[in-house]
Amino acid sequence: MKKIYLDNAATSNPKPPSVISAVNNYLQNICSSPGRGGYFLGLEAGRVVFDTRQKLKQLFNAPSEEYVIFTPNVTYALNFALLGVLKPGDHVITTSMEHNSVIRPLRYLEQTRKIALNIIQCNKKGELDPEQIKKAIKPTTKMIIMTHASNVTGGIMPVETLHDLKEYTDAMLVVDAAQTAGVLEIDFKKLDLDFLCFTGHKALYGPPGTGGMVISPRAAKILAPSVHGGTGSRSDVELQPDFMPDKMEAGTPNTAGIAGLNAGLNFILEKGVENIHQHEMQLTRTFVNGLQQIPGISIWGPKDMDKMVSTVSITVEGRDLSELAFSLDADYGIMIRSGLHCSPLGHKTIGTFPEGTLRFSFGYFNTEEEVIYSIEALNQLTAD
Ligand SMILES: Cc1ncc(COP(=O)(O)O)c(C=O)c1O
């Protein structure tokens, strides 16, 4: 049986061969502590890390390399932004389509630091009215944080409207780009963001354990480190250095992962973000059109190719979703996710809580043939 991986919203698979060789090459020929030793290999490791920062700076139009910070994934980046900025009494605005990596730290800070939280309700398609954000702004608003695209519906959020809010507030603007980095053009400076949090193992095609954030110079000034320790710099002082990126990068980084991420970034820069997006959206269009012919299937979210990335959530009338996901894997070799994709609020918003959805998410390596095969599999399974 052929195997078809359609869970790219969770992590991309396969990785480009160049990513695998870059990790192998790093482990075999370089593996050493970056910036800690004056010997050749240490310098080489430091070069890999710096070169990757430069590529991320290029991809996201970051203010400078020092404001590109590596973390183990986007969850850490989001936690670093939230825990490192918010203080008791601060007001935060977010949306009802967020992943738990935003909602859980916010709920934690509500309990422990008494922050005030406004969760703007999106409509049944998961769409946000930016006017609602504007109306929720208060003098104490310290941060506005939203996902760039929902991992449940694939719906793109209006992050380009965030900078208009600067007229009304000096709140920090934070975007969770877990689902968009690598498939949508993101211009950090043009969007006028303070934090762009990204993960390396999804559409950036890097290995798991990679991610980070781009921050603005004003965010760099106020951001407190959540982790303290060795950086290989200012080893004469007992406090965390106050300069970026060292302030936020204590401990030995995942250099093998970063080497792989570097190759993933090369892959994206060579193919072109727009070309990758177009290919994935062509597959999504074929899939959505095919599903619309199958009785009993509901598609959740915008269903409009201009308003989404390549993630499609469905339910099937009268059918248990985990059983369907199991059969798709066991009988057809199709790997997808079922349930509540770490976004209970998102599911409540679109009306699929607590059962969740079957989520299909396409990546650059999927083909039209695989999509047609998946539609046929759903056709047969739902007819049973
Ligand atoms: C929108 C969104 N935010 C955050 C995350 C968390 O990603 P990671 O596990 O890489 O930290 C995900 C991944 O599932 C996501 O889709």
Side-chain angles (χ1 to χ4, degrees), residues 70-222:
F70 288 111
T71 62
N73 50 45
V74 72
T75 303
Y76 271 72
L78 290 162
N79 271 265
F80 282 179
L82 295 165
L83 299 168
V85 168
L86 297 173
K87 298 208 165 54
D90 285 342
H91 173 242
V92 179
I93 304 173
T94 190
T95 85
S96 70
M97 290 307 287
E98 301 307 308
H99 190 275
N100 269 342
S101 52
V102 169
I103 295 297
R104 285 182 174 170
L106 282 174
R107 289 292 187 209
Y108 169 76
L109 290 172
E110 221 180 4
Q111 287 182 347
T112 56
R113 289 190 200 166
K114 305 287 174 242
I115 64 159
L117 188 56
N118 238 4
I119 301 180
I120 306 296
Q121 188 60 40
C122 297
N123 71 16
K124 288 265 173 211
K125 287 184 179 172
E127 293 164 339
L128 175 76
D129 172 5
E131 204 48 35
Q132 299 301 317
I133 301 252
K134 192 170 122 191
K135 282 191 191 145
I137 291 172
K138 298 181 188 182
T140 51
T141 305
K142 188 63 175 282
M143 187 181 277
I144 301 172
I145 177 165
M146 69 168 74
T147 187
H148 193 182
S150 160
N151 67 311
V152 176
T153 62
I156 299 171
M157 304 293 257
V159 295
E160 70 289 348
T161 62
L162 280 174
H163 78 276
D164 299 341
L165 302 172
K166 295 229 159 155
E167 214 181 302
Y168 311 97
T169 178
D170 61 0
M172 294 276 141
L173 302 179
V174 186
V175 167
D176 169 2
Q179 293 297 330
T180 54
V183 285
L184 293 183
E185 301 282 1
I186 302 176
D187 187 326
F188 182 86
K189 285 197 247 169
K190 196 164 160 209
L191 290 171
D192 215 353
L193 299 179
D194 293 292
F195 291 87
L196 175 74
C197 301
F198 61 88
T199 213
H201 63 102
K202 298 185 198 270
L204 294 180
Y205 291 99
T210 56
M213 57 187 176
V214 175
I215 65 173
S216 66
R218 73 170 187 149
K221 282 202 186 105
I222 63 160

